[in-house]
Amino acid sequence: MDPASGVIVGQTAAGTAVVLGVMRCGRIWLCPVCAATIRHKRAEEITQAVVEWIRQGGTAYLVTLTTRHAAKDRLDGLMDALQGSRSGTAAEIRVAKTNVGVAETALQEVVDRTRESVNTARLAAPKGEKRAAMAAAREEAAGELADAQAHLRTAQAELASTRRKAGAYQRLITGGTWAGRKADPVGIRGRLGYVGMIRATEVTVGLANGWHPHIHAIVLVGGNVAVHTDPKTNRVIGKEIAGTFEPSENALAEWQDHWRSVWVRALQGINPKWRPSDDCDRADCPCGGKGHAIDFKRLETERDAQDLGEYIAKTQDGKQPALELARADLKTALGENVTPFELLFRIGDVVGGVPEDEASGIGSLEWNLAKWHEYERATKGRRAIEWTRYLRQMLSIEGGDTHEDDLDMLFGGDAEDGELRAGVAIAEEGWTAVTRKGLDLAATEAAEGKDGNTDPEAVGARVREILALADVADTVVILSAAQVAEAYTNMLDNLARRREEAAARRRREHDDQEHDADADVDTAELQARLRRRTTPSPRPALEAPAVTP
């Protein structure tokens, strides 16, 4: 917050209220306030994409992927198994590579010194005692050599940890059976017309069975995709839709059976305890005996007769798939499970003095705090919602999946409801007092024009009534029409600046990805290269010490 200007609470032409001048974290996993706006915007763009795809004649499925879990399982391990481990940033990878180089050099220096001391001992020792002198020199250097080797192994492990390891999700769209091979060049992907998918990860937790992370994905199929490559490098630089078709029943059945099999095998390979069920003996179960590892629901298009041609993509039970996918913040977990935000709300209730048996949620304060801290660590650096590469481009959807894109959505939402027509400025100490009392939402709602009264004095009076509850009514200043217009202009200028910066950032990210792909070295090759560089070549003049990189 700017101490000089404080906060501006403005009323838009649509009758809603926006708060300007407050810092926003944009943390979709951890902040209930920011998550609500970001997920709402994400849901809108997902709906836009699905509706547009179905309008073009494509087919869409809502796919839910789950794993077996128990109370003792750590959330980070389960998330790695589903999503894959997190990759390091470009800066972290550069530092890790530098550390490996430094460790290699240090080890080679120790090896050279050891070789020199062994040779010196051999030359200085009388005949008959040379072997013993050389052994003593090697033994004297053994500690330093072991330390250098251990330092190199640590640096190599840190470098390996910056490289993302695939989870069960990545296994679904890799391999010859999926992508094609010599005996079957089309593969399941080609017969299905796979275009891409939008993945969202949701997490709940319970006292009995612990963490339950699961993935919702909207999978777009039935498309002919034209791939554009760089003529010089033959690297993919873009994709576009060249047409649509209806996948055959055989192709759909083949895809679903393949994904079920791959998902179960991948999780079993990571940890046999996490292997989900792939069969079911309940006669009336909707899974049809195929188990509950993956659920497929086809999304249909219905014309809304009251809205003249507006299409709404719905699942068979009437839920909007975009909300099912994106709005995890709205959900209340089933049975004895709770969402992470319900952990947070219970912590707030109990710390605020509400008895545990009257507070919302489940479990003791200590249990909720421990689970929330574990959740914070496990979700750090992960994307809650992610589109496969080039899917946005193919569907002409702007934006991205990064934290910066989430912040863009927050700031962009302020200007979408139209020009500001009334507003008040609240000094820093006044807004601080309001938030301490938990009255910030009430103050924002007081500035709205739901009652049709848009007179600036009336808006100011309503806001003052709320601030009086925190004894800071005198910190409200009613803005003139010119001041409101200036605030709105500044908001638009900031939004335009952020959009320009976002476009430049995405171009840089794309260039970085291409550069990283060119420079990337397979892990096995990297380890082999490091071994070659750190293992000294034997010299005829002396017996080289053993080195284990």
Side-chain angles (χ1 to χ4, degrees):
M1 185 189 307
D2 185 350
S5 60
V7 168
I8 294 177
V9 182
Q11 184 187 105
T12 69
T16 61
V18 295
V19 180
L20 307 178
V22 177
M23 183 178 291
R24 305 182 185 188
C25 67
R27 301 174 76 179
I28 190 172
W29 291 107
L30 304 178
C31 176
V33 177
C34 290
T37 301
I38 294 169
R39 288 185 179 274
H40 177 72
K41 298 298 180 183
R42 293 287 187 195
E44 287 181 346
E45 68 176 7
I46 292 168
T47 297
Q48 179 186 352
V50 175
V51 169
E52 178 59 29
W53 178 240
I54 295 178
R55 280 175 175 168
Q56 292 182 27
T59 303
Y61 276 81
L62 176 62
V63 182
T64 302
L65 306 108
T66 63
T67 182
R68 195 183 300 274
H69 54 95
K72 293 183 179 180
D73 292 327
R74 299 285 299 178
L75 179 58
D76 55 359
L78 288 166
M79 295 282 273
D80 283 350
L82 268 63
Q83 282 191 344
S85 62
R86 291 157 287 190
S87 60
T89 64
E92 290 171 340
I93 293 172
R94 284 195 297 271
V95 170
K97 287 182 177 179
T98 300
N99 290 341
V100 169
V102 171
E104 288 176 334
T105 301
L107 176 58
Q108 192 61 53
E109 290 174 353
V110 173
V111 169
D112 291 341
R113 287 198 300 272
T114 301
R115 181 181 289 116
E116 184 177 353
S117 65
V118 170
N119 193 40
T120 300
R122 181 180 66 83
L123 295 175
K127 189 175 181 179
E129 299 180 11
K130 293 184 179 294
R131 289 185 178 277
M134 293 169 64
R138 281 194 289 269
E139 183 177 356
E140 183 178 353
E144 185 182 10
L145 189 62
D147 289 343
Q149 291 169 346
H151 183 59
L152 176 58
R153 285 193 295 271
T154 299
Q156 291 171 340
E158 289 176 353
L159 176 58
S161 70
T162 65
R163 298 184 179 276
R164 185 174 184 179
K165 297 179 180 62
Y169 167 78
Q170 286 78 21
R171 302 298 183 194
L172 296 175
I173 49 177
T174 56
T177 303
W178 170 257
R181 60 183 71 185
K182 188 174 182 180
D184 178 20
V186 175
I188 294 174
R189 180 177 65 184
R191 288 186 287 277
L192 183 66
Y194 173 80
V195 174
M197 61 177 152
I198 309 166
R199 182 209 73 197
T201 304
E202 182 181 344
V203 178
T204 62
V205 64
L207 294 169
N209 297 314
W211 294 106
H212 178 147
H214 47 287
I215 291 174
H216 295 297
I218 288 183
V219 185
L220 307 184
V221 299
N224 295 314
V225 178
V227 179
H228 303 292
T229 59
D230 186 317
K232 294 182 179 179
T233 64
N234 203 35
R235 189 173 302 284
V236 176
I237 57 175
K239 296 181 180 181
E240 66 176 331
I241 303 298
T244 60
F245 65 92
E246 179 69 27
S248 68
E249 290 298 323
N250 288 339
L252 292 170
E254 180 187 27
W255 161 52
Q256 294 181 18
D257 289 343
H258 174 70
W259 271 23
R260 284 191 179 96
S261 175
V262 170
W263 183 256
V264 170
R265 288 201 316 269
L267 288 172
Q268 183 175 10
I270 295 170
N271 189 331
K273 296 188 304 180
W274 296 339
R275 183 187 190 277
S277 64
D278 57 356
D279 57 19
C280 179
D281 55 7
R282 281 178 48 193
D284 59 342
C285 186
C287 75
K290 296 183 178 180
H292 308 120
I294 303 184
D295 176 62
F296 295 85
K297 288 182 181 179
R298 181 164 178 164
L299 307 181
E300 306 290 350
T301 301
E302 297 180 357
R303 181 179 295 274
D304 187 345
Q306 298 179 346
D307 208 9
L308 295 177
E310 180 64 25
Y311 286 84
I312 299 176
K314 295 182 178 181
T315 57
Q316 294 175 355
D317 60 0
K319 294 178 182 177
Q320 279 189 299
L323 290 180
E324 178 72 15
L325 193 72
R327 295 304 307 274
D329 59 308
L330 291 181
K331 298 178 184 178
T332 299
L334 298 176
E336 295 300 320
N337 279 13
V338 295
T339 65
F341 285 156
E342 288 178 292
L343 294 175
L344 193 61
F345 298 151
R346 181 169 176 82
I347 292 169
D349 285 347
V350 175
V351 171
V354 178
E356 285 194 4
D357 58 351
E358 297 179 13
S360 61
I362 60 174
S364 66
L365 175 61
E366 291 74 16
W367 182 85
N368 280 265
L369 284 168
K371 291 302 180 185
W372 177 259
H373 291 155
E374 184 180 351
Y375 170 74
E376 282 186 326
R377 291 189 295 270
T379 55
K380 182 180 179 181
R382 297 186 187 273
R383 293 179 181 176
I385 302 170
E386 188 170 25
W387 298 47
T388 51
R389 196 173 185 185
Y390 301 114
L391 182 58
R392 288 179 181 272
Q393 180 188 72
M394 288 187 283
L395 298 176
S396 300
I397 303 292
E398 294 292 330
D401 304 326
T402 67
H403 175 69
E404 288 296 323
D405 294 305
D406 289 341
L407 286 172
D408 292 341
M409 287 185 166
L410 285 173
F411 286 97
D414 289 342
E416 289 182 355
D417 288 330
E419 187 174 356
L420 298 181
R421 59 188 182 187
V424 298
I426 303 174
E428 180 186 19
E429 65 271 18
W431 189 254
T432 300
V434 165
T435 54
R436 279 204 191 109
K437 292 279 189 178
L439 297 171
D440 43 333
L441 177 59
T444 305
E445 290 177 339
E448 294 178 349
K450 293 180 179 178
D451 59 0
N453 192 341
T454 60
D455 178 67
E457 292 292 337
V459 172
R462 290 198 298 267
V463 175
R464 275 202 180 98
E465 286 181 10
I466 301 300
L467 268 66
L469 300 175
D471 298 323
V472 287
D474 56 344
T475 63
V476 176
V477 176
I478 299 174
L479 300 179
S480 66
Q483 289 172 320
V484 171
E486 182 182 1
Y488 183 66
T489 299
N490 290 337
M491 184 170 64
L492 293 181
D493 289 344
N494 288 334
L495 177 59
R497 176 183 55 79
R498 288 194 64 86
R499 285 178 173 166
E500 290 176 2
E501 292 173 350
R505 183 183 69 247
R506 293 187 193 106
R507 287 194 296 270
R508 289 195 303 271
E509 289 171 353
H510 181 269
D511 293 341
D512 289 344
Q513 288 172 350
E514 295 298 327
H515 176 74
D516 290 344
D518 290 335
D520 193 26
V521 180
D522 181 81
T523 302
E525 291 184 13
L526 176 64
Q527 296 296 336
R529 179 169 60 82
L530 292 176
R531 283 195 294 272
R532 289 195 297 271
R533 289 176 61 181
T534 57
T535 303
S537 301
R539 298 182 182 178
L542 55 88
E543 183 178 343
V547 177
T548 305

